[in-house]
Amino acid sequence: MSLNQLTISDARDALRKGDVTSAEITEACLTAIDGAGALNAYCHLTPEIARDQAAAADARIRAGDAPAMCGIPLGIKDLFCTKGVPSQAASRILEGFRPEYESTVTQNLWDAGAVMLGKLSMDEFAMGSSNETACYGPVVNPWKVDDRQLTPGGSSGGSAAAVAADLCLAATGTDTGGSIRQPAAFTGIVGIKPTYGRVSRWGVVAFASSLDQAGPMTKTVRDAAIMLGAMCSHDPKDSTSADIPVPDFEAALTGDIRGKKIGIPREYRMDGMPAEIEKLWSDGAAMLRDAGAEIVDISLPHTKYALPAYYVVAPAEASSNLARYDGVRYGHRARLGQGDGITEMYEKTRAEGFGKEVQRRVMIGTYVLSAGFYDAYYNRARKVRALIKRDFDQAFAAGIDAILTPATPSSAFGLGEMANADPVAMYLNDVFTVTVNLAGLPGVAVPAGLDSKGLPLGLQLIGRPWQEGDLLNHAYVLEKAVGFAAKPAKWW
Amino acid sequence: MLDHLAYKAPEPKVIAGAKADWELVIGLEVHAQVASNAKLFSGASTTFGAEPNSNVAFVDAAMPGMLPVINEFCVAQAVRTGLGLKAQINLTSAFDRKNYFYPDLPQGYQISQLYHPIVGEGEIIVDMGPGVARRVRIERIHLEQDAGKSIHDMDPNMSFVDLNRTGVALMEIVSRPDIRGPEEAAAYVAKLRQILRYLGTCDGNMQNGNLRCDVNVSVCRPGAYERWQETGDFGHLGTRCEIKNMNSMRFIQQAIEYEARRQIAIVEDGGTVVQETRLYDPDKGETRSMRSKEEAHDYRYFPCPDLLPLEIEQAWVDDIAASMPELPDEKKARFVSDLGLSEYDAGVLTAEVENADFFEAVVAACGDGKLAANWVINELFGRLKKEGHEIGDSPVTPAQLGGIIALIKAGDISGKIAKDLFEIVWTEGGDPAAIVEARGMKQVTDLSAIEKAVDDIIAANPAQVEKAKANPKLAGWFTGQVIKASGGKANPAAVNEIVAKKLGL
């Protein structure tokens, strides 16, 4: 086994024992990245930063000051602003943009001694479920069926592919409607979206501010617990960041869920759900029951309105959040013709800078906020959102500890397969995940098996607000029960 | 003022059209820059006159991933303003985004408070002369960000943007349509400005654009306004036009006057006033339609998802209320009732809080409100104006002026000597009492010395003595001669008395 295949927890232990150095693990990752160009996971590499940080981490470890993340090489989603390093949300419109500041989340990670290998590709502005909207071209899933190239999911597709292919020990992701959990499920890794407000949004390029949350994408649940702890903090620079203590999430992994109540929401049993997804789900429930939990059928009656509400709220916020990309101060500016004025500058810059999916969502968002349609769309969606949150509140008030659902309606699909499909077909990928963002809850995707084609499938656990530790403990039990050990066969 | 000074409402301005009389209905939206060292959401400096684009934080430049954080001091200033306008303070308010594209608006939206402003209904009493005042209701005050500045005239091919002002906190203070004439509108702005300056929540500097306003004007026939007041039906009023962005009292009046006449002419011609936004051109003295794309804006307001609702506590509001200064109306009433000033003098002295403070310090030093008012208004203000001084850099301090007045009151110096003394203190400084002592300027009240002087004058002017005995009014001539002979130092009252006695009057 080469060092880049280590989990965070194993690497931590080996580093502390002095069996290995961060420099060695980092070199192993850089070598793996060098050989993985076919996956197109990284969009900017930062080997110099990585080597400097690894050396500094090794010094800290020798000095006996080694936080859990010290010396751990990570990939960073391109949505995070990293000082002096290109940060362009996989969009042409941010071409050449190098921030003068470091996002709070990445700063927290560097403060904990983590090492940055580079930036990871994603769907443009985190809008997509297949990583095909990235300006860098699609990321390829390391998992493969026959010769068909598959999507790693999106929008954190580069992060998912890099973790699954051992091009880093773990990666940051962000999740607005499922962008951590869906790609985690498509690539057989763990990904958690924490409670809204748990992780600072400062320095993360905004897609939909009321839904966006960053989280870790890792090889194991334990790694997710370790890395989430390092990412969290109360940040006075983010008014929506919660001023509550960050517990030791790893310590919550007791493996004991006896007496816990697991809700199985009947509304998630969609018409036409593939039998193998259904089986995966009931198998997962059975495993949790075997571990001593009580399985309870529950109802979340407003679930069917979640996807439409999400595709009103998220584009509305995005249309406003993306107004700043106007070519005036940074990033791409269109070449102007004779007589062009400011309007032409905006129009040409944004037409050239934004891809089709981003343009579609900006237009949808502009429409639903416009006078005359605001109440019919945006306000109604806000009300639906409140009802969805109430569904969850009531379930938790009735004593439910966690809710088990499939993570995705299918395993990874082929790149290009959805190219001519109705955009709504792509949006359906988020059907099990968007409710969690609308309600601001923590949700985790855990690998739960392989489908008949040999591709990974994931289950999702949804937890009580601020109870990520308890949620991860459920995920930990599921992970152990499933015993998922499959890795993609290296073809790249 | 209500409690202390009775007032009646002024008559509305009436404009005679070609066919009929017309009245005006006016409402104002005043944008007042919050007096604060830092911007509303970024912490960047608000210093005026800094190098272009030097007071700009990442948030102001709308760099990717940057987030607004509310400046608590600006919130306190808005609350203080609300309390000063006797307005309702909303313990929960919220910020919304107003979306539009312009290069001096980096975010592509202005953060404002459309749906839930921090301050609700209040009022301002606008003085229109002794005993006459207009009560203008305030509809709301909300906090919002200012935009930057686009500069189009520096280069033939390029435009420039200065973001120093971007994100500076503004209070938008919205009145009800309670204002009935151009003079009232200007007086309303002046009164609001005065209150803001008393509160220290806006410096009121109109030239720098720190206080500017949008004026809504409509015209109606006499009686229509009262019907609107009774029914609340705006159908009784005319269609309004909004004149944007004015920062001069004079222009406000001129623009309203012009706009009212323009609307009257349209209506009397059988036309219809179009509701629109207009600009006042002070060079041409007219308003013109903006008719730009800005007008067609759909601002797509929605709650700003980067900011939680703004929750403040009653106890915090109470703390601010407890630290409120005395406001102009109260101060003026107190000057009238406690110090015996005329309403006019009280108004002059309370116009600027610095003047009122100076005056009160003078009163404290001399113990006489009326004398202090005369000296401050006539001698001091006149001299300050003549020499281009502000009250803050007056060469004569309140203690010195109070000292001079105290000497008059004690009979140590005459009014005439006092003016000389004032001149000395103004130019040379020093303690008035010590100067009087050192320079022998004290009035002579030594009766034997005065008696001798009177005797001398009487002896030297027998003809005058005869005249005065026939006509006692002429005794004043002797008094004048004695005071003149004493170099102005003889106490006039004492001289008068002795002259009368010696002449046997």
Side-chain angles (χ1 to χ4, degrees), chain A residues 239-418:
Chain A
S239 307
T240 63
S241 158
D243 188 5
I244 55 170
V246 179
D248 181 344
F249 298 123
E250 192 184 6
L253 306 183
T254 60
D256 182 2
I257 57 162
R258 283 173 299 174
K260 297 282 190 181
K261 279 188 174 174
I262 310 294
I264 307 293
R266 67 177 67 104
E267 290 80 6
Y268 283 59
R269 205 170 300 279
M270 303 282 173
D271 284 343
M273 180 186 272
E276 44 188 1
I277 299 285
E278 192 137 357
K279 180 168 184 310
L280 184 86
W281 191 8
S282 54
D283 286 353
M287 290 176 203
L288 294 172
R289 185 188 301 117
D290 291 346
E294 184 189 341
I295 306 301
V296 186
D297 278 328
I298 62 165
S299 175
L300 300 169
H302 297 93
T303 300
K304 65 179 170 210
Y305 304 116
L307 206 58
Y310 174 83
Y311 276 98
V312 170
V313 171
E317 294 185 16
S319 71
S320 177
N321 282 337
L322 269 58
R324 65 187 57 199
Y325 307 107
D326 56 8
V328 173
R329 298 169 310 287
Y330 48 76
H332 177 72
R333 180 189 292 180
R335 196 178 290 272
L336 299 183
Q338 194 67 34
D340 280 354
I342 187 67
T343 304
E344 289 75 19
M345 183 173 127
Y346 288 148
E347 288 173 355
K348 291 183 179 179
T349 297
R350 289 164 68 83
E352 292 171 10
F354 289 143
K356 287 276 172 282
E357 182 60 27
V358 172
Q359 290 184 18
R360 176 180 295 122
R361 297 200 197 190
V362 167
M363 286 191 278
I364 291 171
T366 303
Y367 180 81
V368 300
L369 287 177
S370 59
F373 298 103
Y374 181 84
D375 282 329
Y377 290 102
Y378 185 76
N379 246 352
R380 187 170 297 181
R382 282 223 298 172
K383 287 175 192 158
V384 168
R385 185 175 183 178
L387 292 173
I388 287 165
K389 182 168 187 311
R390 199 182 62 180
D391 285 352
F392 282 107
D393 289 346
Q394 287 171 344
F396 292 129
I400 296 297
D401 292 290
I403 294 165
L404 182 73
T405 78
T408 58
S410 71
S411 61
F413 49 89
L415 285 171
E417 202 173 285
M418 307 281 273

